[in-house]
Amino acid sequence: MGFNRMGWIFLAAFLGFMFLQEDGFLLCSATRYYDWVLKETKFTRLCSTKSILTVNGGFPGPTIQVHKGETIYVNVRNQGLYGVTIHWHGVKQPRNPWSDGPENITQCPIQAGSNFTYEVVFSSEEGTLWWHAHSDWTRATVHGAIVILPAAGTTYPFATPYAQETIILASWFKGDVMEIINSALATGGEPNVSDAFTINGQPGDLYSCSNATTYRLLVDYGKTYMLRIINAVMNEEQFFAIAKHDLTVVTQDAAYVKPITTPYIMITPGQTMDVLVTTNRPRSRYYMASTAYNDGDGVAFNNSTTTAIFEYRGSHPIPSTTPFPNLPAHNDTTAAQNFTKRVRALASKAHPISVPTKITTRIYMTIAINERICPNASCAGPDGNALAASLNNVSFETPSIDILQAYYGGINGVFKGNFPSNPPNFFNFTGTMANNTIYPSFGTKVKFIKYGAGVEITFQGTNIIAPENHPMHLHGFSFYVVGTGSGNFNKTTSPKTYNLVDPPEVNTVGVPKNGWVTIRFLADNPGVWFMHCHLERHSSWGMDTVLIVRNGNTTTSRLRPPPAHMPPCSKS
């Protein structure tokens, strides 16, 4: 498979030509319509065949391609076995949480046999994002890329690449993913780790029954290509590299960064990166590969490696051994931090940033793995209890009526607006833990924020049960990562290390093991917005909360009314 030449699909848009592609993309003038069918499809991987939930029969699913600032409509027809929702990861959806997608947060699921049309509103995003199912673990197979090209009349802040290709890193489970998480939640133990990682749907040469279908990328010599890399892996952060080729990172989470030339990247679940690769090596074939970064003590993870082939076109001798990239060890925290600490916003005149300096809302949020007490020590987690997770010692419980509907319609009893701005108890979060730190409270608690507030959130990792890196994702916003450090955040000395000049603007950030990260954003998007860890097992255990940004005083600063037909809730 080769690269897609950039921009061809938009010529038809400007001519007002209408056509339907195989992936269900209907293009008419400048408005784009997609018709997607959720359905079970049989796939063979790792020597066995199973049925998985897909969009239009593909794994990964179809790519959405737009220009900056456009709006698209995606009609999702659910012909699967259970209710599902779709989230447009990193798309801010100004004033439009109705189409954001997390199940029972901003909508109830699209039930089998029904449909729902999402209105996806792009604003300042430019680069690569992605879409995925947001119901339990359905995103394992229901996901795809969003390519956001520069607005008409503008271009990249670097030479236009010769061509582009999307690289999606994902997980493959031999078992049924819904059964895996449902069984784990029922027993209280750890869910099974994945059986393989994949690159664009294929495990690669190092797995059984896989080398015949390894993904291949054909390139021409002497060109610069753009790889749009997405980490759709369920529970592991990833290292990624191409043998003997440097990567130049130019965007992260659909925002431009100062170019970083590096032999590898570290990318967390939920993150996206655009990297440039120049084909200046001897004509041959090379491995691209990805393996897990895992710094957790005693945390189960997939310690395998997925591969694909990066091959030059034309005649060349086939190497007896295909060169393999030098990936860091799975627990090489120094390598991970050496990469992440280099990321800085481009912050140019054409691509400015605006870091809030007047902070009116401060939240100090601890992140922890916890236990839920089981009668007679009857569960499969630590101490005979069930595994849980929390933010500020609150383990989130998902309601049966979506929070957005309850907030907009004034339905009582669905959630409480008392999520704490600080942890209930202060102690040495990264030191030795006492038993009274293990057990959280449980509930559906949200945090209200005034429209227009300058918000600062400090995520504090803790040493409770199983410390590790946590990729925290906020819906409805991009935010600036102004500071990070190891150990406990110090409110006097830590802010002195902040970068307020060119901090990266992202939607997902990795909070280091037993460390902290501080983010800032302007609360200028009214609505109900989910915040959660993008390690899927942690989110399933309750490492989530909701921010509700209240309406402003003008029409353009108020939540839009709901569309005519939202998926109904079982108890509404």
Side-chain angles (χ1 to χ4, degrees), residues 104-106 108 396-418 443-446 528 546 548 569 571-572:
N104 288 8
I105 306 299
T106 62
C108 287
F396 186 81
E397 293 184 326
T398 303
S400 58
I401 297 175
D402 69 88
I403 292 173
L404 176 57
Q405 179 187 167
Y407 168 65
Y408 189 83
I411 301 173
N412 295 323
V414 175
F415 65 88
K416 294 181 179 179
N418 60 346
T444 308
K445 298 184 180 182
V446 311
V528 171
V546 170
I548 298 182
C569 299
K571 295 184 179 181
S572 62

Side-chain angles (χ1 to χ4, degrees), residues 204-473:
D205 292 355
L206 303 184
Y207 297 97
S208 300
C209 305
S210 299
N211 59 355
T213 57
T214 295
Y215 177 75
R216 282 170 165 77
L217 192 55
L218 297 177
V219 298
D220 292 319
Y221 182 83
K223 305 295 184 181
T224 296
Y225 293 84
M226 178 186 285
L227 300 182
R228 299 178 178 272
I229 302 174
I230 298 165
N231 187 351
V233 169
M234 293 292 282
N235 286 304
E236 289 93 358
E237 291 144 323
Q238 298 291 123
F239 289 116
F240 173 88
I242 302 176
K244 299 185 181 298
H245 290 74
D246 283 336
L247 309 176
T248 299
V249 182
V250 291
T251 78
Q252 183 170 319
D253 286 1
Y256 291 111
V257 300
K258 291 179 172 65
I260 301 169
T261 300
T262 174
Y264 65 91
I265 63 171
M266 197 287 281
I267 182 168
T268 73
Q271 285 184 336
T272 61
M273 294 180 191
D274 295 342
V275 304
L276 303 179
V277 182
T278 300
T279 52
N280 55 7
R281 305 301 295 172
R283 290 178 173 87
S284 186
R285 61 175 57 167
Y286 302 85
Y287 272 123
M288 64 174 80
S290 182
T291 192
Y293 164 58
N294 181 282
D295 60 357
D297 297 328
V299 175
F301 71 102
N302 183 337
N303 195 20
S304 64
T305 302
T306 180
T307 60
I309 300 296
F310 189 82
E311 183 167 0
Y312 286 67
R313 286 190 177 93
S315 60
H316 55 73
I318 303 300
S320 57
T321 302
T322 302
F324 203 88
N326 293 318
L327 291 165
H330 74 83
N331 58 352
D332 193 339
T333 296
T334 299
Q337 293 182 352
N338 284 346
F339 172 75
T340 58
K341 287 181 177 179
R342 296 177 64 191
V343 181
R344 295 286 185 270
L346 183 59
S348 66
K349 183 177 180 180
H351 300 280
I353 63 172
S354 181
V355 184
T357 55
K358 182 181 179 181
I359 302 301
T360 56
T361 299
R362 296 182 189 273
I363 304 172
Y364 185 52
M365 190 178 298
T366 53
I367 304 171
I369 303 298
N370 305 99
E371 296 179 19
R372 182 197 296 264
I373 296 175
C374 291
N376 303 316
S378 57
C379 291
D383 308 312
N385 292 324
L387 284 161
S390 67
L391 299 173
N392 272 353
N393 209 46
V394 178
S395 188
F396 186 81
E397 293 184 326
T398 303
S400 58
I401 297 175
D402 69 88
I403 292 173
L404 176 57
Q405 179 187 167
Y407 168 65
Y408 189 83
I411 301 173
N412 295 323
V414 175
F415 65 88
K416 294 181 179 179
N418 60 346
F419 182 85
S421 296
N422 292 285
N425 298 301
F426 278 79
F427 53 91
N428 182 4
F429 297 117
T430 58
T432 302
M433 298 292 101
N435 285 341
N436 62 359
T437 65
I438 293 176
Y439 308 107
S441 63
F442 296 86
T444 308
K445 298 184 180 182
V446 311
K447 178 69 178 178
F448 282 97
I449 296 176
K450 183 179 179 181
Y451 179 86
V455 181
E456 179 176 293
I457 300 177
T458 296
F459 297 109
Q460 175 66 64
T462 68
N463 200 35
I464 302 174
I465 298 182
E468 61 181 307
N469 195 302
H470 297 281
M472 297 302 298
H473 172 52

